[in-house]
Amino acid sequence: MQPTTGPTTRVFRYGIEHECALLHTDGSFADYTDTAFDELQVVIDALPEDPDDYPDLRIGDQGIKRKRWYVEGYERFDTDGRLVRCDPKGIEIRTRIHDSVDGAVDAITADVATLDGALAASQLRSTVIGFNPLRSEYVIEPPLNEWERRHRLDSPEERTAHLHMSTYGPDLNLSCADLDPAAVVDIGRKLTHYSPWLVPLSFSSPFRDGAPWGGLSARTAIRTGLRPAVLVFLGEDDEQVEADPSLTQVARIPAEVGRIEFKAFDACPDPGLYGELLSLLTGLVLDETLPGRRTTPDAAMHQHVAVAGLGDDEVHAGTGALLDAAGAALTGRAGDLARLERLRERWARRESPATAMLARYEAGEPVAGVRRRAPHPA
């Protein structure tokens, strides 16, 4: 049966998951090396729990994700599968599902402000950056035990879960009831193909190991190819796609069925940029002209754009073509077109959050705990 609505009248629903990095009050970067899970959990305990968030949000097996805010980290288990510790990397915020982009952006903006209010009573503060600016690698210590190996090695995402301990990014979620499973998988392949030309708009990780590394997104350089650019959530009876990294996953709660989750953007300091990127993704879902499809991300191309960003003329032109295609597909959707125009202005300036971060660093300002060293006197 054909859908009764045309492409531009389709109704979408949206959600945003945003990972906050943390600073100590002295301005130094806070991570698992000097911050305990319990220190962060005290902050989470002070935040409100809203029963209306469910069933939109998943609680998880360990009960850590009981609120819109939760401590994000790497969980360790004993040989019987009991949780023994969680090394924290930061705090994740999730919105419930919203009927509009503006609703999701307003929700994440309000929840960041609420988190900042709760952090004010602690020795921590939130910050936004796409990659741990001091440590490029999280080392699993002690090595995984037998139970952990069985459960950590049974999927591509579990095998590479330690990589996320150095990275901070959003999951931008959208779904449309008019799309059947085959169409949703096709969209996942499409967005995976075009990911290298989308992600430079978000780049916010110009630092590694305490200094600029020569590129704009350490997160993209390290994770994409080993981790998915897009995940599509299907029903348990739908046909899954075998791929490494995964393209599809069985939905864990009913609200996830049909969700398209774009995972390759860096964390963005301005929540409004998330809204602009969601409108761009909406336009690309509606578009019926772009031919590219990939089941897994092009790691080499992602690594190239991670360094060059929109400063590369071919990359800039490719991103512009995607903006054009999305704009044509969004005809009649005034809110999306307005957000897309703001994104186009960023594109025209070849701008990403990383460029502003580097400018602040060069001016001698601290950026996520990193400050330019003063030159030695002659």
Side-chain angles (χ1 to χ4, degrees), residues 16-184:
I16 299 173
E17 303 171 45
H18 169 68
E19 293 177 330
C20 292
L22 297 168
L23 301 176
H24 298 290
T25 50
D26 65 3
S28 61
F29 195 77
D31 63 14
Y32 52 88
T33 64
D34 57 14
T35 307
F37 176 89
D38 289 346
E39 187 177 354
L40 301 189
Q41 188 59 44
V42 167
V43 175
I44 300 300
D45 289 343
L47 292 164
E49 182 172 349
D50 186 347
D52 291 338
D53 288 342
Y54 307 96
D56 284 1
L57 304 180
R58 188 174 70 94
I59 293 175
D61 296 336
Q62 304 304 320
I64 293 173
K65 305 178 182 181
R66 292 207 62 83
K67 300 180 180 180
R68 293 196 295 276
W69 310 263
Y70 68 90
V71 181
E72 177 75 5
Y74 193 85
E75 297 168 349
R76 300 302 308 270
F77 300 86
D78 66 17
T79 54
D80 294 319
R82 291 186 292 261
L83 180 69
V84 294
R85 80 171 202 258
C86 179
D87 293 344
K89 79 166 187 180
I91 292 175
E92 179 158 329
I93 308 172
R94 309 169 291 168
T95 70
R96 64 179 71 167
I97 299 170
H98 291 267
D99 293 332
S100 69
V101 171
D102 283 340
V105 171
D106 289 347
I108 201 70
T109 302
D111 285 347
V112 168
T114 300
L115 172 62
D116 286 341
L119 285 168
S122 76
Q123 297 299 306
L124 297 165
R125 301 293 182 265
S126 72
T127 191
V128 178
I129 194 164
F131 192 80
N132 186 318
L134 302 182
R135 273 164 283 279
S136 294
E137 183 182 9
Y138 169 78
V139 179
I140 302 173
E141 292 288 353
L144 299 178
N145 62 40
E146 183 179 352
W147 187 93
E148 290 175 313
R149 286 196 301 273
R150 287 200 307 270
H151 290 81
R152 285 288 190 191
L153 304 179
D154 62 357
S155 75
E157 282 60 63
E158 286 293 341
R159 287 198 300 274
T160 58
H162 62 285
L163 294 178
H164 88 92
M165 288 294 287
S166 300
T167 68
Y168 301 83
D171 291 339
L172 297 188
N173 305 324
L174 66 163
S175 62
C176 176
D178 291 332
L179 300 173
D180 63 25
V184 174

Side-chain angles (χ1 to χ4, degrees), residues 283-338:
L284 296 178
V285 170
L286 293 171
D287 163 78
E288 297 178 348
T289 67
L290 294 168
R293 302 292 188 274
R294 282 186 67 97
T295 299
T296 58
D298 184 336
M301 187 60 188
H302 278 89
Q303 288 164 356
H304 170 70
V305 300
V307 176
L310 295 173
D312 181 304
D313 288 341
E314 291 187 5
V315 173
H316 187 257
T319 304
L322 294 180
L323 289 165
D324 289 343
L330 289 168
T331 298
R333 303 175 75 103
D336 286 312
L337 287 170

Side-chain angles (χ1 to χ4, degrees), residues 207 211-212 357-365 367 370-372:
F207 306 108
M357 290 177 171
L358 287 170
R360 287 164 47 206
Y361 174 85
E362 290 299 326
E365 299 177 24
V367 183
V370 178
R371 186 190 290 270
R372 183 180 182 183

Side-chain angles (χ1 to χ4, degrees), residues 185-265:
V185 170
D186 185 64
I187 290 165
R189 286 193 166 109
K190 179 183 187 179
L191 295 179
T192 296
H193 176 88
Y194 290 106
S195 173
W197 296 274
L198 296 172
V199 293
L201 293 160
S202 73
F203 283 167
S204 69
S205 43
F207 306 108
R208 284 182 64 178
D209 302 315
W213 66 280
L216 299 172
S217 179
R219 180 179 190 269
T220 299
I222 285 177
R223 79 173 290 282
T224 310
L226 296 172
R227 305 281 285 174
V230 181
L231 265 182
V232 171
F233 291 86
L234 302 176
E236 60 182 14
D237 295 328
D238 297 327
E239 183 178 357
Q240 302 289 320
V241 176
E242 290 292 329
D244 188 349
S246 298
L247 177 70
T248 65
Q249 184 172 310
V250 176
R252 296 157 297 185
I253 58 174
E256 285 185 337
V257 176
R259 176 180 295 176
I260 302 160
E261 187 169 275
F262 195 89
K263 304 178 74 68
F265 290 128

